[in-house]
Amino acid sequence: FANPWQLNVLYLLTVSNVYDCSNNTQTQTAQFALPDTAAPGDVLINEILFNPFTGGYDFIEIYNASQKIIDLKSLLIARYDLATDTVDQLYPVILTSTLLLPGNYLVLTENTGDILSKYPLTIAGNLCKIINMPTLNDDAGKVALLNYQQKVIDVFRYSDDFHYPLITDVEGISLERISLKQATQDSSNWQSAAKTVGFATPGYKNSQTIEHSSSNTTITVNPQIFSPDEDGYNDVLSIEYTLNEPGMVANVTVFDSRGRLVQYLARNTLMAESTTLYWNGINTDNQKAPIGIYIIYSELFNTKGDVSKYKNTAVVAGKL
C-alpha cells in the first residue's frame, strides 16, 4: 500500500464482484484497525454485578473512555487478593482479536443468556462470554483490568456498602459508575442501578450517570390534556423526570382537584437520571378517572434527607 497503516484508525475493506458457483455476484465489506496499547484510565470499570440473583451470574462492564481502538485480546481481568494486595485469578478477557472502539461498552460474564433473561433491556451485541471469570464475593472484593504487559489499567475495590442505603436486599442489583471523570475508587462515584431500568444496565449508558449541566430538576407532563378512551390518540399521560443528582427516590401520587387520592405512580422508587412514568387514567379502584383537572404530586428525596416537592397538572378529557 502507498501509505502505512495508522494506529487508532478504523479502515473499511471492500471486496467487489465476488462470484459463487451459481455465478451470483456480491460485494462484501469488513472493518479492521491497528489497535493501540491500553494505558491506565483508557478502559474503565463502569458497572459491576457481584451479588446476582440465586443461581445467576456475575458481570463486569467495561467502557473505552479513550480515543484509542483497543484489542480485547490484549486485556486481562483479575481479582485482587485483599489480604496480600496481589493479583489473583488472572484471566484473558477473550482469546480472539476483537476491537473495542472509543465510547463503546462491553459486558464480561460467563453466561450471556442469564444476563439477557434477567435484564431484558440489555444490549445483546455488547455482551461477551468469557471462559473464566474472577470470583466476586457477594459483600466486598477487588477487581482489576490489566493490559498484556500486566500493567493495571483500572482497579475497583467494591463493597455492598456502596449500594443505596435504603435498599434492604441488594441481590441482583448492580453498582453503576456515576462519572467517567471521577476516580474509580471514590465510593461516592458509585450508586445502585435504578429500579426504573430493572436494577442493571448491561451494555449501555448507566441509569445513574449525571452528564447534563442543569442544576435544577425538571418535570415535564405530556400531553397536558389526555383522553384515556382507547382510541389510540393521547390515551396515556407521561411524566418525564430529569434529575440533577443520582440516587434520588420518588413518591409520585395523583390527586383530583379536591385533593382526593386517585392513583400511586411511584412509591419509594429509586429513579434513574432520566425517568418517565406513565398514567393510563385508571384510579386505585381500577376505574377510569372522571373528566377533570388532576394534580401530579412528586416528592423527591436523597440520602441526606433533602426533600423536593413538585406539583404538575394534567387534564383528563373525554366525550360528553
Side-chain angles (χ1 to χ4, degrees):
F1 291 89
N3 299 306
W5 305 120
Q6 301 295 315
L7 285 175
N8 304 314
V9 175
L10 192 62
Y11 295 96
L12 181 67
L13 175 68
T14 302
V15 181
S16 304
N17 298 323
V18 179
Y19 290 87
D20 61 17
C21 295
S22 300
N23 213 34
N24 299 310
T25 183
Q26 58 180 302
T27 297
Q28 297 186 358
T29 61
Q31 292 181 325
F32 70 96
L34 289 183
D36 208 343
T37 301
D42 286 344
V43 182
L44 302 175
I45 298 169
N46 192 56
E47 184 177 1
I48 183 170
L49 178 67
F50 54 86
N51 187 3
F53 292 113
T54 302
Y57 288 79
D58 301 327
F59 74 73
I60 299 171
E61 180 187 80
I62 60 176
Y63 176 80
N64 187 349
S66 72
Q67 295 302 311
K68 297 178 180 179
I69 297 175
I70 307 295
D71 188 354
L72 293 171
K73 186 180 178 181
S74 69
L75 299 182
L76 305 168
I77 193 80
R79 186 184 73 166
Y80 254 75
D81 188 314
L82 294 178
T84 62
D85 201 33
T86 56
V87 171
D88 184 25
Q89 300 183 10
L90 182 65
Y91 303 119
V93 167
I94 198 169
L95 299 178
T96 57
S97 290
T98 304
L99 300 180
L100 182 65
L101 302 181
N104 280 16
Y105 301 87
L106 190 75
V107 178
L108 311 176
T109 181
E110 290 181 312
N111 191 319
T112 57
D114 176 72
I115 304 303
L116 283 168
S117 66
K118 291 183 172 60
Y119 306 102
L121 298 179
T122 298
I123 305 299
N126 291 338
L127 293 179
C128 177
K129 182 178 181 180
I130 61 177
I131 299 174
N132 294 304
M133 183 83 163
T135 303
L136 303 179
N137 296 335
D138 287 350
D139 54 352
K142 195 172 184 180
V143 62
L145 192 66
L146 303 90
N147 62 20
Y148 68 95
Q149 301 167 331
Q150 295 194 19
K151 186 174 183 178
V152 174
I153 302 170
D154 198 21
V155 61
F156 178 42
R157 184 170 182 169
Y158 65 85
S159 169
D160 54 11
D161 291 338
F162 293 178
H163 276 290
Y164 189 75
L166 297 184
I167 298 177
T168 56
D169 183 5
V170 298
E171 185 176 273
I173 302 176
S174 74
L175 273 180
E176 294 182 327
R177 188 187 191 109
I178 296 172
S179 171
L180 295 170
K181 297 179 180 180
Q182 202 167 330
T184 301
Q185 203 44 63
D186 184 347
S187 61
S188 67
N189 197 28
W190 294 86
Q191 182 62 266
S192 306
K195 179 181 179 180
T196 53
V197 297
F199 291 118
T201 53
Y204 62 103
K205 179 183 174 182
N206 291 345
S207 65
Q208 299 293 4
T209 297
I210 295 294
E211 293 179 345
H212 58 81
S213 58
S214 173
S215 60
N216 298 317
T217 289
T218 60
I219 302 175
T220 305
V221 174
N222 185 52
Q224 204 73 39
I225 301 174
F226 75 114
S227 53
D229 51 15
E230 299 299 321
D231 66 352
Y233 178 74
N234 288 346
D235 287 329
V236 178
L237 180 74
S238 71
I239 306 99
E240 301 174 3
Y241 295 81
T242 301
L243 307 181
N244 64 347
E245 64 176 290
M248 297 291 285
V249 170
N251 290 319
V252 182
T253 311
V254 181
F255 296 94
D256 66 15
S257 59
R258 297 175 62 182
R260 294 174 298 191
L261 172 67
V262 176
Q263 185 59 275
Y264 297 104
L265 301 185
R267 303 179 77 175
N268 294 324
T269 299
L270 182 61
M271 305 279 275
E273 175 208 6
S274 297
T275 295
T276 302
L277 301 179
Y278 300 94
W279 183 38
N280 59 3
I282 300 300
N283 62 23
T284 55
D285 295 326
N286 204 32
Q287 296 178 343
K288 180 183 173 182
I291 293 173
I293 299 174
Y294 291 84
I295 308 298
I296 314 300
Y297 181 65
S298 304
E299 289 182 318
L300 300 172
F301 56 94
N302 58 23
T303 54
K304 301 175 185 176
D306 301 323
V307 181
S308 300
K309 301 177 182 180
Y310 304 87
K311 291 181 181 179
N312 298 82
T313 59
V315 175
V316 172
K319 298 177 181 179
L320 297 176

